[in-house]
């Protein structure tokens, strides 16, 4: 096999992945645009709808990729994802919210630049990942699951508790060699009321850092003058944030496929398959598991930051274990073990299961003139007494935000029965930094043994 | 040549023993890693646990001596924790049994409990409120505010029949549900790994919980007329603590059912088979115990207890919401792990310890962390004694 | 502890290095690897013990010494005071009826289990109680009784996993653009040897297959090939012929003999007595956790005790 042949093979895989991703994303976007047409959306409405879809594709894709490192590669059963996300965004908020003086109505932060906050959030998530992993990684998979979900609940209790609602910051903080005077007086986690994210707009911070803020504003006024006359900035912000998230997905993918396609990733895979064997082959499996867990936790923290940082506020109920299970379902749809599959799973989950039912409801409501839905299941069923299914249908439509969780559950069960490997779970994503074909070395390709050695499929 | 032949016969005969000892190796393999790690990293942890315990004892003692903590309020917390623990323990028996016999952590177990509670409470509503309200609204436990539980006067003294039937229906409904789910969800993938089953159970939990929300609504409703439940004040040195009729009925029901399970496992043939299965499934299979029958019994006993536990829980605390079982589930897991998976006495003991921890811990820590304390206890047990504190005796 | 290991492994040159120059013959290749580079490797790994390879040139040098090994599970003593040594470049058989404690002995030597009493010395160093990966890193490789291939990894991935001192096992080196080049270079180099070993065991046509799809015998071959790639001094094979068809068994034996001639040392657990008698120059017979007899096949065959032990339960 010539070098060109290998390139061809590689290119084949690559092209197939790109085709698959483009096809799936294309189908999702097309469906949403068509739905928008059905709703009679104008350009503004369409763009909003696309921005919304992109946002969820971005965050679920990112989180599924991070989980794939834990579960798909290393076999670490982490169901405390939302805890790491929460730590990420809460620490970011704490560090970057503007300081408030004594006696202020709400809690403030340290007022440091947003990138410091993001860095701190990611490091905090990594640190807590280490804290969980150090004792827990040698536990059986199901025990690790219970420990991690308990951990994420403890994180949520901490967010909610009054104890951590506010802290008073001392006027001077002495840290061994240097001391500094924080301007903040009252910081905290905000308790049940949560935190208002009144730091710099993250998009603005990012664009300013890249010296793109002024060009962007120029673009916005151009759009305002020529395309959307009525305050287009929120719409464009949403779209741009979606694009930033997709770039984030790309970076996650790059990082994780490099991690996977390396000797490091190979050991992770071996641990997933049989930890004793990896150990008997001289690999310090604990070190690998620890590193993988901490890296994954850090990425989950970053994912949490990107997910929530553009929201106006965060409250503890957003960090219930449901989010964790959403991400799991996304990963299982895509196929644990495959990075491309993880992203596709995230996208499909976001477009079909997470946002889809709501669109379906709106679509039905737009298509038919429907009356008010019954207030409860009893009234919904009452219609059947007079053979009128309408109340039930209306109630069902009205409850679509709950029913989509039922659908998710059923989909998960169906997948575990019929396709536990998901879309791409069984595909060979070879864990090596180089092509392992014999001819990869060039010279040995000349050896006669190569001829009868059987070419690789 | 003949010699060789003999050797093979011996070998064949001894294969079983090897396989058995292979299993021993696997068990002790993880043990070895554990022990090695322990010497490195866990001595400080153990010392830390002891220090925390000492600090707690000291702060409790000084609190009691200086009057910072009143004995009566401590007694009230202990009483509350004990009752909570009985519910957790009762629900834990079922979880522990399915965990050891079917070999997976059932994350839908909490939602079985909620389902039982809703079905049972619907029955109680129906019995207590028939005639004045529509049957549908009553069966839906007043979904959407159509009926208010407080107005129906549900209570063990005011409507004993409604309570008895409610508890029965709760148990039966949970059993029917568990058997149906097992038939259609778990049985087709019985041979898959415990992890695959665990993930599947998360799907079951989602579907069940939000179906409950779909049918019964999202609101948390009051179910009992809190004022009308008879209560006595029990004196406790520097004050009193309250004991209600529902406390007593909870103790009676939980105690009775636990005794019943004990007798079932000890005295009946099926119980012995279940104990055998939980000890070693392969062995049970080859000795001809009808495993599907044992599995069915496991679900019946486990789900029945769980349904009743859910009903008694709701009766006792006086409110009912679609999330109740899920919120309780992690505490139930904590109890089961604490007691050692597969041990029903462990589940009961673990339940009481976890209930007490969640309640009494507020003496030392802010009340928002009561449940967190119970989780921490579970995590510490998993690290030091993953086989549970009542280990050495499985199931029996 | 692991800190030192890692740096030592990282600093040592890739062990196959001298071999890659004369890659045409796998046999010559393996010979030189074993004779020279493993010795240098060891000096680096066990700096604290100057006597490590005093006996290197001595034909009777015993890299593996086991002394007074004892293991209790609960109340049962599975291994009871076992002592023996394994001489370099030999094929030593460990036999005994099932339940005699052979596998436990293996697990004790390789660190899968901690002995209740006794010591294991490898190349002069006390390795008792070390973790399996630390022992494997010192050049004592093993295979498992029931082949434990890594099912959802290809044969090539299985093989590439094994070599020691892979710089790419550091996460940062693998993902950073600057250092990834070195990782790729080392992998490319390592790949050559992987293919040679695959050729040697004649499983190269299976290279892209998932290990889980291999037949029982092929898995045994893969496992041995993989163990070989860790560049061991001593190979512990746990029932390598169990479940292997006669043709493959013959091939496996040929490979083992060939490797022994190249200087590798083998300790083989087997309960097929004839197989061991015909192929090993030394046989250790275990019974009820103890060593019953230790000697040449002829001595074992003549031993009353051994016949008694094997037939005792039967008559």
């Amino acid at each position: 096999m010539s070098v060109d042949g290998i390139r061809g093979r590689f290119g084949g895989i690559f092209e197939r992945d790109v085709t698959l991703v483009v096809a799936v994303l294309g189908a999702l976007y097309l469906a949403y645009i068509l739905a928008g047409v059905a709703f009679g959306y104008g350009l503004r409405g369409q763009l909003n709808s696309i921005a919304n879809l992109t946002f969820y594709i971005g965050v679920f894709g990112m989180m599924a990729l991070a989980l794939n490192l834990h579960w798909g590669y290393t076999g670490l059963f982490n169901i405390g994802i939302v805890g790491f996300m929460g730590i990420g965004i809460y620490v970011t908020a704490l560090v970057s919210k503007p300081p408030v003086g004594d006696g202020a109505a709400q809690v403030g932060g340290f007022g440091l630049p947003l990138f410091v906050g993001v860095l701190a959030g990611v490091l905090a998530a990594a640190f807590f990942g280490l804290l969980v992993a150090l004792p827990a990684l040698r536990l059986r998979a199901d025990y690790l699951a219970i420990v991690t979900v308990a951990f994420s609940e403890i994180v949520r209790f901490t967010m909610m508790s009054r104890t951590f609602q506010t802290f008073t910051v001392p006027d001077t903080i002495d840290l061994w060699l240097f001391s500094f005077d924080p301007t903040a007086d009252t910081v905290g986690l905000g308790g049940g009321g949560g935190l208002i994210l009144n730091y710099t707009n993250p998009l603005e911070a990012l664009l300013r850092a890249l010296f793109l803020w002024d060009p962007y504003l120029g673009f916005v006024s151009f759009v305002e003058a020529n395309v959307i006359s009525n305050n287009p900035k929120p719409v464009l912000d949403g779209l741009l944030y979606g694009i930033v998230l997709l770039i984030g997905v790309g970076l996650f993918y790059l990082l994780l496929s490099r991690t996977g396609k390396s000797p490091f990733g190979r050991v992770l895979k071996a641990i997933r398959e049989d930890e004793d064997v990896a150990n008997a082959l001289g690999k310090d499996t604990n070190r690998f598991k620890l590193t993988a867990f901490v890296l994954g936790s850090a990425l989950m923290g970053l994912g949490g930051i990107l997910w929530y940082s553009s929201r106006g506020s965060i409250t503890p109920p957003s960090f219930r274990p449901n989010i964790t299970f959403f991400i799991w379902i996304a990963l299982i749809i895509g196929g644990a073990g495959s990075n491309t599959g993880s992203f596709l799973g995230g996208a499909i989950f976001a477009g079909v299961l997470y946002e889809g039912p709501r669109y379906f409801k709106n679509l039905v409501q737009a298509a038919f003139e429907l009356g008010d839905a019954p207030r409860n299941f009893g009234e919904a069923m009452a219609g059947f007494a007079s053979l009128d299914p309408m109340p039930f249908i209306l109630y069902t439509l009205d409850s679509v935000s709950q029913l989509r969780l039922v659908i998710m559950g059923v989909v998960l069960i169906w997948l575990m029965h019929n396709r536990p490997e998901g879309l791409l779970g069984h595909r060979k994503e070879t864990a090596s930094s180089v092509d392992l074909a014999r001819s990869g070395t060039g010279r040995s390709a000349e050896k006669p043994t190569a001829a009868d050695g059987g070419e690789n499929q | 040549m003949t010699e060789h032949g003999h050797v093979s016969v011996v070998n064949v005969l001894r294969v079983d023993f090897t396989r058995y000892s292979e299993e021993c190796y696997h068990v002790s393999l993880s043990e070895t890693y554990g022990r090695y790690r322990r010497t490195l990293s866990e001595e400080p942890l153990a010392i830390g646990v002891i220090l925390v315990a000492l600090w707690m004892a000291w702060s409790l003692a000084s609190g009691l001596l200086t009057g910072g903590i009143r004995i009566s309020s401590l007694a009230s917390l202990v009483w509350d924790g004990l009752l909570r623990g009985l519910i957790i323990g009762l629900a834990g028996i079922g979880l522990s049994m399915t965990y050891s016999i079917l070999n997976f952590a059932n994350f839908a177990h909490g939602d079985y409990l909620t389902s039982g509670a809703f079905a049972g409470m619907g029955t109680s509503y129906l019995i207590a409120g028939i005639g004045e309200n529509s049957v549908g609204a009553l069966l839906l436990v007043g979904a959407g505010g159509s009926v208010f539980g407080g107005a129906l006067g549900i209570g063990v003294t005011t409507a004993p029949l409604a309570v008895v039937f409610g508890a029965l229906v709760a148990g039966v409904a949970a059993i029917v549900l568990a058997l149906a789910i097992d038939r259609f969800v778990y049985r087709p993938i019985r041979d898959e790994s415990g992890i695959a089953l665990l993930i599947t159970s998360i799907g079951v939990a989602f579907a069940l919980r939000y179906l409950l929300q779909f049918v019964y609504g999202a609101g948390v409703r009051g179910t009992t007329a809190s004022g009308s439940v008879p209560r006595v004040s029990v004196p406790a040195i520097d004050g009193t603590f309250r004991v209600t009729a529902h406390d007593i009925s909870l103790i009676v029901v939980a105690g009775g059912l636990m005794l019943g399970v004990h007798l079932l496992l000890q005295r009946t043939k099926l119980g012995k088979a279940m104990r055998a299965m939980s000890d070693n499934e392969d062995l049970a299979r080859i000795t001809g115990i009808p495993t599907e029958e044992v599995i069915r019994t496991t679900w019946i006993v486990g789900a029945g207890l769980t349904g009743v536990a859910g009903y008694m829980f709701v009766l006792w605390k006086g409110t009912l919401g679609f999330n109740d079982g899920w919120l309780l589930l992690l505490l139930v897991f904590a109890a089961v792990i604490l007691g050692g998976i597969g041990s029903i006495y462990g589940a009961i003991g673990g339940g009481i310890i976890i209930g007490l921890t969640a309640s009494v811990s507020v003496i030392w820590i802010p009340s928002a962390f009561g449940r967190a304390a119970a989780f921490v206890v579970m995590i510490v047990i998993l690290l030091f004694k993953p086989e549970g504190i009542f280990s050495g005796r499985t199931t029996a | 502890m692991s800190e030192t290991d890692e740096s030592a492994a990282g600093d040592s040159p890739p062990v196959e290095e001298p071999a890659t120059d004369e890659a045409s013959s796998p046999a010559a290749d393996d010979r030189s690897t074993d004779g020279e580079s493993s010795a240098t490797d060891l000096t680096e790994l066990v700096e604290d013990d100057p006597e490590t390879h005093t006996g290197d040139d001595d034909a009777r040098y015993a890299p593996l010494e086991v002394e007074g090994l004892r293991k209790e599970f609960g109340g049962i003593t599975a291994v009871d005071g076992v002592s023996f040594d394994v001489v370099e470049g030999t094929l030593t058989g460990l036999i005994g009826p099932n339940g005699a404690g052979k596998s436990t002995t293996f697990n004790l030597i390789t660190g899968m289990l901690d002995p209740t009493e006794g010591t294991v010395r490898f190349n002069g160093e006390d390795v008792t109680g070390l973790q399996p990966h630390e022992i494997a890193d010192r050049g004592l490789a093993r295979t498992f009784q029931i082949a434990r291939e890594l099912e959802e990894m290809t044969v090539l991935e299985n093989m590439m996993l094994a070599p020691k001192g892979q710089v790419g096992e550091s996460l940062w080196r693998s993902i950073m653009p600057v250092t990834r080049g070195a990782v790729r270079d080392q992998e490319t180099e390592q790949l050559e040897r992987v293919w040679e070993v695959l050729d040697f065991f004649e499983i190269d046509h299976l290279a892209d297959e998932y290990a889980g799809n291999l037949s029982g015998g092929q898995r045994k071959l893969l496992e041995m090939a993989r163990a070989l790639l860790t560049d061991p001094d001593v190979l512990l094979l746990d029932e390598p012929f169990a479940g292997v068809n006669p043709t493959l068994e013959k091939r496996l034996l040929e490979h083992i003999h060939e490797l022994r001639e190249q200087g590798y040392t083998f300790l083989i657990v087997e309960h097929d007595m004839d197989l061991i008698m015909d192929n090993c120059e030394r046989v250790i017979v275990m019974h009820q956790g103890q060593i019953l007899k230790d000697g040449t096949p002829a001595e074992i065959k003549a031993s009353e005790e051994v016949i008694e032990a094997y037939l005792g339960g039967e008559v």
Side-chain angles (χ1 to χ4, degrees):
Chain A
M1 260 291 154
S2 66
V3 174
D4 285 336
I6 288 126
R7 265 208 199 111
R9 231 180 53 163
F10 248 77
I13 291 174
F14 180 70
E15 269 161 33
R16 223 177 44 224
D17 274 14
V18 169
T19 321
L20 203 56
V21 169
V22 166
V24 168
L25 290 185
L28 285 173
Y29 279 104
L30 186 67
Y32 274 69
I33 289 168
L34 288 179
V37 171
F39 298 149
Y41 280 169
L43 180 61
R44 187 191 181 83
Q46 286 284 16
L47 290 180
N48 259 332
S49 158
I50 287 172
N52 186 54
L53 176 65
T54 312
F55 176 84
Y56 283 111
I57 289 178
V59 289
F60 279 115
M62 235 183 274
M63 296 311 298
L65 277 166
L67 177 59
N68 189 38
L69 177 65
H70 279 175
W71 173 243
Y73 262 94
T74 326
L76 297 172
F77 203 144
N78 174 9
I79 51 173
I81 303 168
V82 76
F84 298 109
M85 292 168 61
I87 288 169
I89 185 64
Y90 263 80
V91 170
T92 301
L94 201 65
V95 170
S96 292
K97 269 165 69 71
V100 295
D102 283 318
Q106 61 141 319
V107 291
F110 287 98
L112 296 172
L114 194 54
F115 77 89
V116 177
V118 171
L119 193 67
V122 172
L123 288 178
F127 173 74
F128 277 93
L130 185 71
L131 215 61
V132 172
L134 268 179
L137 277 187
R138 59 153 209 275
L139 294 177
R140 260 164 49 177
D142 49 348
Y143 288 173
L144 180 66
I146 292 166
V147 166
T148 48
V149 73
F151 159 77
S152 84
E153 284 290 84
I154 292 176
V155 168
R156 192 168 60 89
F157 298 152
T158 311
M159 294 170 182
M160 278 195 300
S161 80
R162 230 178 263 167
T163 322
F164 297 103
Q165 191 165 358
T166 54
F167 297 104
T168 307
V169 181
D171 289 333
T172 312
I173 296 176
D174 283 305
L175 280 179
W176 188 42
L177 273 183
F178 52 96
S179 70
F180 62 99
D181 306 318
T183 44
D185 283 317
T186 310
V187 298
L189 304 182
L195 291 173
I196 295 170
L197 299 182
N198 52 348
Y199 43 61
T200 341
N201 175 357
L203 206 56
E204 183 179 337
L206 178 68
L207 289 179
R208 275 193 196 283
L210 299 171
F211 303 104
L212 288 173
W213 182 240
D214 290 321
Y216 176 65
L217 289 183
F219 175 69
V220 170
S221 16
F222 171 79
V223 170
E224 189 159 19
N226 297 294
V227 191
I228 304 171
S229 51
N230 177 22
N231 185 24
K233 187 157 180 299
V235 184
L236 293 177
D237 279 357
L239 277 175
L240 188 60
Y241 197 74
I243 292 168
V244 170
L245 286 181
L246 289 184
I247 293 171
V249 168
L251 293 176
F252 268 50
Y253 181 89
L254 192 71
L255 173 69
L256 291 173
S257 60
R258 280 201 160 207
T259 307
K261 289 177 184 171
S262 76
F264 180 82
R266 200 154 56 217
V267 178
L268 297 189
K269 257 180 149 176
I271 290 170
R272 176 191 75 191
E273 295 298 313
D274 191 332
E275 188 175 348
D276 286 344
V277 168
N279 216 324
L281 287 171
K283 314 298 174 193
D284 184 354
T285 49
N286 280 326
R287 177 177 75 83
F288 287 93
K289 281 160 76 179
L290 205 64
T291 316
F293 196 85
V294 169
L295 176 64
S297 306
L299 292 177
M300 286 166 184
L302 182 57
I305 294 169
L306 291 170
W307 189 322
Y308 290 99
S309 69
S310 62
R311 302 279 172 95
S313 64
I314 40 173
T315 52
S318 305
F319 299 95
R320 281 182 302 203
N322 275 7
I323 301 270
T324 300
F325 297 132
F326 292 164
I327 295 160
W328 267 90
I329 295 170
L331 179 65
I332 288 167
I333 290 173
S338 158
N339 282 320
T340 311
S342 305
F343 170 67
L344 284 179
I348 293 170
F349 178 84
V352 179
L353 287 178
Y354 191 80
E355 285 289 272
R358 203 163 57 81
Y359 271 77
F360 175 74
K361 171 194 161 192
N362 292 345
L363 208 59
V364 174
Q365 280 175 344
F368 306 98
E369 279 301 316
L370 299 171
D372 286 337
R375 283 177 302 129
N376 61 53
F377 190 71
E379 289 174 23
M381 295 303 279
F384 285 113
S386 53
L387 292 176
D388 177 13
M390 239 12 236
F392 183 78
I393 293 171
L394 286 176
Y395 181 71
T396 307
L397 272 180
D398 199 51
S399 313
V400 81
S401 63
Q402 297 126 51
L403 284 176
R404 71 189 173 140
L405 281 103
V406 178
I407 297 168
M408 288 176 196
V410 172
V411 166
L412 184 57
I413 295 168
W414 185 88
L415 280 170
M416 294 312 290
H417 276 199
N418 297 298
R419 207 174 159 83
E421 73 278 15
L423 280 177
L424 295 179
H426 264 314
R427 211 185 51 180
K428 291 171 188 165
E429 289 191 3
T430 305
S432 165
S433 65
V434 294
D435 182 16
L436 295 184
R438 181 194 298 272
S439 36
T441 54
R443 185 174 54 103
S444 57
E446 259 58 38
K447 286 183 10 173
T449 40
D452 61 2
E455 197 33 69
N456 320 292
Q457 299 88 335
Chain B
M1 219 50 230
T2 44
E3 180 191 308
H4 187 67
H6 279 294
V7 171
S8 332
V9 173
V10 178
N11 288 344
V12 170
L13 286 174
R14 287 180 182 165
V15 163
D16 275 338
F17 176 70
T18 325
R19 193 169 297 153
Y20 183 65
S21 41
E22 272 298 311
E23 273 164 31
C24 294
Y25 296 150
H26 285 301
V27 172
S28 34
L29 212 71
S30 53
E31 231 176 88
T32 312
Y33 293 138
R35 210 174 335 119
Y36 186 76
R37 279 269 152 199
R38 214 156 291 168
T39 51
L40 288 179
S41 67
E42 279 183 14
E43 294 297 353
L45 218 83
I47 292 165
V49 169
I50 292 166
L51 285 178
V52 168
L54 284 176
W55 171 78
M56 281 166 61
W58 178 80
S59 104
L60 177 64
S62 67
L64 287 173
L65 286 175
T66 58
I69 303 165
R70 289 168 28 152
I71 291 176
S72 58
S73 55
L74 179 66
S76 171
L77 287 173
V78 170
W79 182 244
D80 178 75
L82 187 73
L83 295 167
R84 207 169 280 272
L86 282 175
I87 293 160
I88 295 171
L90 203 54
I93 294 172
L95 186 66
S96 186
M97 281 166 64
T98 50
Y99 206 153
S100 71
I101 289 178
L102 295 168
N103 199 24
F104 79 101
N106 183 9
F107 270 71
H109 191 78
D111 301 292
Y112 290 7
L113 181 139
T114 324
S115 306
F118 268 108
M121 223 9 120
T123 309
S124 294
Y125 269 43
L126 188 67
I127 293 173
I130 188 88
E132 292 151 46
N133 305 88
S134 85
V135 173
L138 290 168
L139 277 178
L140 291 174
V141 201
S146 48
V147 183
F148 289 99
L152 299 176
I154 290 170
V156 71
T157 49
T158 45
L161 209 62
V163 168
V164 170
F165 274 99
L168 278 177
V169 169
V172 172
I175 289 171
V176 171
L177 183 75
L179 288 178
I181 290 174
D182 183 60
R183 172 65 191 80
F184 293 108
V185 178
Y186 297 132
R187 204 166 106 187
I189 50 171
R190 189 84 82 216
D191 294 332
E192 297 288 320
S193 70
I195 296 304
L197 282 158
L198 193 164
I199 295 173
T200 311
S201 79
I202 290 174
V204 173
F206 255 48
L208 211 50
R209 195 178 322 143
Y210 290 94
L211 266 182
L212 287 173
Q213 193 193 352
F214 177 67
V215 172
Y216 293 99
V220 174
R221 66 270 272 158
T223 51
T224 49
S226 51
S228 66
V229 182
R231 63 196 59 202
V232 290
S233 292
V234 179
I237 304 175
D238 56 358
T240 59
F241 70 95
R242 209 177 59 193
V243 173
T244 72
H246 286 167
D247 293 356
I248 302 299
S249 50
L250 173 60
I251 291 176
V252 170
V253 169
L257 287 174
M258 287 169 180
L259 187 68
V261 175
H262 165 75
L263 293 177
L264 173 82
L265 287 182
Q266 295 294 335
R267 300 284 163 81
T268 67
K269 213 176 159 188
L270 203 62
K272 285 186 184 123
M274 285 168 70
R275 282 158 55 197
M277 273 272 294
S278 112
D279 288 347
N280 186 339
E281 197 186 340
D282 290 336
L283 204 68
R285 239 187 259 283
I286 49 173
T287 50
I289 294 169
T291 52
E292 278 300 324
E293 192 189 328
V294 170
I295 289 171
R296 194 159 49 241
T297 314
T298 306
W299 282 118
I300 290 172
V301 174
L305 294 176
T306 305
V308 176
Y311 182 85
M312 295 313 291
F313 183 41
V314 167
L315 186 73
W316 174 69
K317 75 185 174 103
T319 58
L320 171 61
F322 78 100
N323 245 335
D324 284 359
W326 165 248
L327 293 177
L328 201 65
L329 178 68
L330 278 181
L331 292 177
V332 180
F333 266 122
V336 168
I337 287 168
L338 197 70
I341 289 163
S343 156
I344 66 152
Y345 307 118
I348 297 167
I352 290 170
I353 293 174
I354 289 297
L356 285 172
T357 308
S359 265
V360 180
S361 62
V362 302
I363 290 179
W364 299 280
I365 57 174
S367 58
F369 291 100
R371 289 208 290 156
F375 296 163
V376 168
V377 167
M378 169 185 76
I379 292 170
V380 168
I381 291 294
L382 275 178
L383 298 181
F384 286 102
K385 216 166 166 6
E387 67 278 18
I389 50 175
F390 302 108
S391 66
R393 290 160 61 84
T394 47
T395 316
Chain C
M1 188 50 117
S2 62
E3 193 66 27
T4 7
D5 290 348
E6 229 182 287
S7 61
D11 291 341
S12 70
V15 265
E16 302 83 320
E17 212 158 47
T20 47
D21 297 331
E22 29 163 349
S24 51
S25 145
D29 180 19
D30 288 335
R31 176 68 258 177
S32 72
T33 306
D34 192 59
E36 293 156 34
S37 62
S38 71
T40 44
D41 197 31
L42 279 166
T43 7
E44 266 166 296
L45 285 173
V46 224
E47 287 159 87
D48 50 333
D49 194 342
E51 290 171 16
T52 298
H53 50 114
T54 39
D56 235 0
D57 300 330
D58 183 351
R60 305 314 295 165
Y61 168 61
L64 178 64
E65 299 159 286
V66 173
E67 220 179 288
L69 220 48
R70 233 171 92 81
K71 179 67 185 176
E72 290 173 17
F73 294 109
I76 305 155
T77 308
V79 172
D80 191 4
V82 164
S83 303
F84 61 85
D85 50 23
V86 176
V87 176
E88 191 181 33
T90 62
L91 239 165
T92 304
L94 182 60
I95 60 169
N98 275 309
K102 298 165 303 194
S103 280
T104 311
T105 307
F106 254 38
N107 286 334
L108 291 171
I109 293 173
T110 51
M112 306 292 270
L113 294 172
D114 280 350
T116 315
E117 259 173 53
T119 52
V120 179
R121 296 176 76 79
F122 184 65
N123 280 327
E125 183 195 9
D126 186 353
V127 296
T128 326
L130 290 188
Q131 291 216 49
H133 70 89
E134 294 171 310
I135 291 172
D137 211 40
R138 282 160 173 75
L140 186 61
R142 73 165 295 170
T143 65
F144 292 89
Q145 188 173 10
I146 301 154
R148 288 167 84 168
E149 75 291 348
L150 303 163
E151 287 182 37
E152 293 220 357
M153 293 171 77
T154 63
V155 168
L156 272 171
E157 283 180 299
N158 265 273
M159 298 286 283
M160 287 292 282
L161 177 71
K164 286 189 279 197
Q166 300 190 37
V167 292
E169 282 176 10
S170 143
L171 172 64
W172 295 114
R173 279 183 210 238
S174 272
I175 57 176
M176 294 306 282
V178 189
T179 47
R180 194 164 164 90
V183 172
R184 295 173 63 103
D185 290 348
Q186 195 196 24
E187 286 222 277
T188 311
E189 213 166 89
Q190 182 177 305
L191 187 62
E192 243 178 284
R193 173 140 166 82
V194 163
W195 275 106
E196 279 158 18
V197 176
L198 283 176
D199 285 340
F200 177 74
F201 282 96
E202 296 164 66
I203 48 173
D204 48 334
H205 59 290
L206 298 166
D208 257 355
E209 205 50 63
Y210 272 129
N213 297 343
L214 268 51
S215 73
Q218 288 167 337
R219 287 176 201 192
K220 292 275 183 192
L221 283 173
L222 170 62
E223 227 191 356
M224 206 196 294
R226 194 176 62 188
L228 205 62
L229 277 171
T230 64
D231 197 44
D233 295 343
V234 177
L235 272 147
L236 272 62
L237 308 181
D238 198 349
E239 300 200 10
F241 309 109
V244 176
N245 68 47
T247 329
L248 209 56
E249 181 181 297
K250 203 167 147 256
R251 230 169 84 192
L252 210 53
L253 274 169
E254 281 166 16
H255 291 319
I256 291 173
H257 281 295
E258 201 174 324
L259 288 166
R260 185 188 54 76
E261 279 155 26
Q262 288 165 21
Y264 286 96
T265 309
F266 287 91
L267 177 64
I268 301 177
V269 157
E270 190 48 60
H271 60 236
D272 185 339
M273 215 173 179
D274 293 345
L275 208 73
I276 292 293
M277 294 298 179
D278 295 346
N279 292 286
C280 297
E281 46 262 77
R282 175 154 160 248
V283 179
I284 299 162
V285 185
M286 276 186 80
H287 183 55
Q288 291 175 349
Q290 291 174 324
I291 290 184
L292 195 62
K293 187 84 187 170
D294 181 347
T296 62
E299 287 168 353
I300 300 293
K301 270 184 187 149
S303 164
E304 286 291 324
E305 306 156 275
V306 173
I307 295 163
E308 176 80 7
Y310 263 83
L311 303 178
E314 266 291 284
V315 187

